[in-house]
């Protein structure tokens, strides 16, 4: 996707602080962290959100999910962490490229919304 911010990050056209990468997945620090650790995990191939994944290859999705505990361990999140994927306007999704937020490094709020 030519004008997608996260596609540009994957291609290195926009700088990011990489924390993990494999053939399918790229993960980097959120530019505006909402927790002591705030990492975004994205598939390298563009898809706008979970809502758009019907024809998206299972491998790309699975690799994102499998990367999450690997990154959490790498980040030292031994006490646990929260995973969020905002999907659509009600959830305030601001970047239309599927991403999973990993939030941790502190005691999270009991309520999620
Ligand atoms: P969402 O609101 O769920 O779509 O999440 C998008 C996230 O992308 C937000 O938490 C932003 O802070 C983050 N973000 C936006 N631009 C960048 C960037 N250039 N590098 C890193 N994170 C970004």
């Amino acid at each position: 996707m030519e004008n997608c911010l996260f596609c540009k990050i994957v291609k290195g056209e926009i700088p990011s602080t990489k924390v993990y990468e494999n053939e399918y997945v790229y993960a980097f620090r959120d530019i505006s962290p909402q927790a002591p650790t705030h990492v975004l995990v994205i598939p390298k191939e563009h898809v706008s959100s979970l809502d758009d994944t019907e024809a998206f290859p299972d491998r790309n999705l699975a690799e994102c999910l499998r990367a999450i505990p690997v990154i959490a361990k790498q980040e030292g999140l031994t006490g646990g962490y929260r995973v969020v994927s905002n999907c659509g306007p009600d959830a305030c999704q601001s970047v239309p490229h599927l991403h999973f937020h990993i939030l941790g490094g502190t005691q999270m709020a009991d309520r999620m919304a």
Side-chain angles (χ1 to χ4, degrees):
M1 278 285 281
E2 225 164 77
N3 279 322
C4 171
L5 173 65
F6 286 176
C7 285
K8 287 181 179 170
I9 283 179
V10 169
K11 285 189 265 177
E13 293 171 7
I14 290 176
S16 66
T17 305
K18 178 171 89 172
V19 299
Y20 178 88
E21 182 175 18
N22 70 19
E23 187 184 343
Y24 299 91
V25 174
Y26 189 77
F28 53 105
R29 298 207 185 281
D30 196 292
I31 205 167
S32 180
Q34 296 189 35
T37 300
H38 188 168
V39 172
L40 299 173
V41 182
I42 67 174
K44 287 184 170 176
E45 191 170 319
H46 183 87
V47 67
S48 61
S49 77
L50 284 173
D51 237 10
D52 200 27
T53 52
E54 207 176 305
F56 195 60
D58 289 348
R59 181 74 191 261
N60 298 49
L61 274 181
E63 289 283 343
C64 284
L65 295 179
R66 292 202 179 282
I68 288 169
V70 173
I71 294 164
K73 190 171 183 189
Q74 184 182 297
E75 293 289 312
L77 300 177
T78 52
Y81 54 92
R82 182 166 285 163
V83 178
V84 174
S85 189
N86 293 321
C87 188
D90 279 5
C92 298
Q93 181 181 5
S94 61
V95 179
H97 181 128
L98 175 64
H99 50 284
F100 298 92
H101 298 257
I102 302 176
L103 298 148
T106 188
Q107 176 63 57
M108 314 292 289
D110 199 14
R111 283 181 56 82
M112 285 187 285

